[in-house]
Amino acid sequence: MFVEKLTTLNHNIVTDIDRLNQAIEAKFDHQISLSGTIEFPCIPSLLDLYIERISAIIKGLGKDRKNDHIDFIRFMIADHLEQGFAIAPDTCLKVTFQGTGKDGLRIKMEICSQTLDQRYQQWIEVREPPFFGEYPDAKVMDTLSQFSPHNSPILDIGAGTGRNTIPIARKGYNVDAVELTSVFAQELVKSVNSEKLPVQVIQSDILNPDCPVKNSHYALAIASEVISTHIRKIEDLRKFLTVICKLLQDGGLFLFDVFMPINDYIPEQKVREMGQLNWCCIFTNQELNDLFQEFSLEIISNESAIEYEKKHQSSDAFPRNSWFTNWAKGHNIFALLEEENAPIELRWLLCRYSL
Ligand SMILES: C[S@@+](CC[C@H](N)C(=O)[O-])C[C@H]1O[C@@H](n2cnc3c(N)ncnc32)[C@H](O)[C@@H]1O
């Protein structure tokens, strides 16, 4: 049988193969259902990267958004990042997508934060003890040797599980160990009791005015991996130093570590934010000098922590754990190659308090 060719009065018939393929592809994209969650860290200075990553996902799956939608997403992300980062640097931004059909992409955002206690709880679940290393800091033990155990009370701030507290107490010094996190404070109490060491464990925030430490009492206060990991802003460091000056005896010493830029490097805001997220808080020479002028604290030494520890630890005690060197070299901030060096490093600062 012969079939007649159909004709129509409608002239807008598409027969161009490329256009038809394009239309088939568009239909295919509309019929993709998409749902998922992306968890981002909150780094406000990297806003453009969030937009790039999210736009790429949306576009890659054919859920193209108009520019005004992207502008709205940008506004929402910026707002959530500011809020999240202000709470804690490791607050996560959760972006949830759900999309079907041509325009049916819904995007939800929320921030999820943890207390420091919860953060450490999670941290130790994936690690083997001793969590901060087996050996005390050489710089701590060398500084300690300037004092007699009989009349030199020592304060270990942010004592953790006692990496420094216990070796100091074994030498006969009286130690007050202040630790914020309950799980570490409990561990420390167990170790102290089992060896009957002269240590008072105080579970508290050192910045809390009710923290039961003694004023004008300590010959040496140490804060190892505390300012470098948890003191984010110069205002927080100011509060910390105010407390230190209240607790030290006249002539007492304060030893702490902090990340500082090398040579004239000036860290951009995104570097500082990435540092805070990865437990590497950076303060410049200028910031520290200006701040120290407000206090009766004189900096008596400022040394590279890696170099000091390498030189003064026994060979089996350096590095004291698998992550110390990379962390102290700033590689938690910059994903550099092993042989490359970041423009920041961990430094030991020792200062003297005088009335
Ligand atoms: C990285 S750990 C170092 C522990 C120990 N100093 C060491 O070097 O092995 C930092 C410790 O400081 C504690 N910490 C942070 N901020 C504190 C604060 N404001 N008061 C008391 N402890 C604090 C944390 O809970 C954590 O145990």
Side-chain angles (χ1 to χ4, degrees):
M1 201 172 80
F2 181 72
V3 179
E4 258 186 74
K5 213 174 180 182
L6 287 178
T7 55
T8 173
L9 292 177
N10 185 348
H11 296 298
N12 199 16
I13 295 176
V14 177
T15 52
D16 177 73
I17 289 295
D18 288 345
R19 177 68 191 115
L20 286 173
N21 282 344
Q22 205 182 37
I24 285 280
E25 198 177 313
K27 195 72 198 167
F28 172 78
D29 286 343
H30 300 163
Q31 289 178 334
I32 294 175
S33 293
L34 146 79
S35 69
T37 304
I38 313 180
E39 289 188 18
F40 290 103
C42 285
I43 308 281
S45 303
L46 296 183
L47 178 61
D48 287 343
L49 290 186
Y50 295 76
I51 306 303
E52 263 178 38
R53 302 295 188 266
I54 291 176
S55 303
I57 290 173
I58 296 172
K59 279 202 185 110
L61 286 164
K63 306 285 173 199
D64 236 336
R65 307 297 290 177
K66 296 192 187 94
N67 277 345
D68 55 343
H69 288 141
I70 292 291
D71 287 347
F72 183 66
I73 292 173
R74 185 184 186 89
F75 169 79
M76 292 291 290
I77 291 181
D79 186 49
H80 280 73
L81 293 183
E82 289 297 340
Q83 281 181 43
F85 189 72
I87 297 170
D90 64 334
T91 298
C92 108
L93 168 68
K94 214 180 205 181
V95 180
T96 310
F97 300 90
Q98 198 166 32
T100 48
K102 186 163 170 273
D103 297 312
L105 185 67
R106 287 211 312 263
I107 298 182
K108 242 177 58 190
M109 288 175 210
E110 59 182 316
I111 47 176
C112 316
S113 63
Q114 294 178 316
T115 62
L116 194 60
D117 224 20
Q118 291 165 329
R119 198 172 163 193
Y120 269 118
Q121 186 63 47
Q122 216 173 43
W123 193 78
I124 62 177
E125 276 161 19
V126 294
R127 284 162 199 265
E128 292 286 319
F131 301 113
F132 303 103
E134 219 169 305
Y135 303 94
D137 296 303
K139 181 69 184 173
V140 167
M141 299 315 275
D142 292 348
T143 308
L144 183 77
S145 64
Q146 302 180 25
F147 299 95
S148 145
H150 306 295
N151 51 6
S152 309
I154 310 295
L155 178 63
D156 187 4
I157 301 169
T161 51
R163 185 173 62 88
N164 287 310
T165 299
I166 290 170
I168 295 172
R170 281 184 186 141
K171 287 186 172 285
Y173 294 85
N174 285 307
V175 188
D176 283 352
V178 179
E179 173 50 49
L180 184 71
T181 304
S182 55
V183 61
F184 292 156
Q186 284 161 21
E187 277 296 309
L188 182 51
V189 167
K190 272 192 231 155
S191 311
V192 162
N193 289 347
S194 75
E195 288 190 49
K196 296 191 174 45
L197 292 170
V199 177
Q200 184 193 192
V201 179
I202 302 168
Q203 195 208 324
S204 172
D205 181 339
I206 189 71
L207 301 176
N208 181 339
D210 296 329
C211 178
V213 276
K214 300 174 197 86
N215 289 346
S216 310
H217 180 70
Y218 301 96
L220 170 67
I222 61 168
S224 175
E225 294 186 16
V226 179
I227 290 174
S228 52
T229 48
H230 298 301
I231 298 297
R232 299 171 59 191
K233 291 182 268 169
I234 203 83
E235 305 91 84
D236 301 331
L237 187 53
R238 181 176 286 113
K239 280 186 205 150
F240 207 100
L241 295 182
T242 307
V243 169
I244 293 296
C245 291
K246 214 170 75 179
L247 305 178
L248 284 178
Q249 302 171 0
D250 185 17
L253 299 184
F254 176 45
L255 175 65
F256 68 102
D257 53 343
V258 67
F259 282 90
M260 293 178 71
I262 295 174
N263 298 333
D264 297 330
Y265 172 68
I266 299 174
E268 289 176 76
Q269 183 59 16
K270 65 183 172 198
V271 174
R272 289 179 185 252
E273 290 177 5
M274 189 58 90
Q276 291 174 29
L277 170 68
N278 291 294
W279 298 11
C280 307
C281 298
I282 307 170
F283 294 102
T284 63
N285 215 3
Q286 179 78 50
E287 285 166 338
L288 291 172
N289 281 333
D290 289 351
L291 183 64
F292 272 77
Q293 278 183 5
E294 296 174 26
F295 294 90
S296 308
L297 282 168
E298 175 205 359
I299 299 182
I300 50 183
S301 69
N302 173 351
E303 297 151 290
S304 154
I306 294 189
E307 277 168 28
Y308 190 94
E309 295 300 309
K310 207 176 196 169
K311 188 163 165 202
H312 295 90
Q313 286 282 22
S314 59
S315 57
D316 54 337
F318 184 88
R320 66 179 142 82
N321 58 32
S322 58
W323 48 261
F324 174 77
T325 310
N326 273 340
W327 171 68
K329 275 169 75 176
H331 281 212
N332 282 19
I333 303 181
F334 303 95
L336 292 170
L337 299 174
E338 182 86 30
E339 63 274 18
E340 292 176 307
N341 289 313
I344 62 151
E345 66 171 355
L346 188 72
R347 300 195 62 92
W348 278 123
L349 263 68
L350 179 65
C351 26
R352 176 174 290 113
Y353 171 70
S354 320
L355 277 174

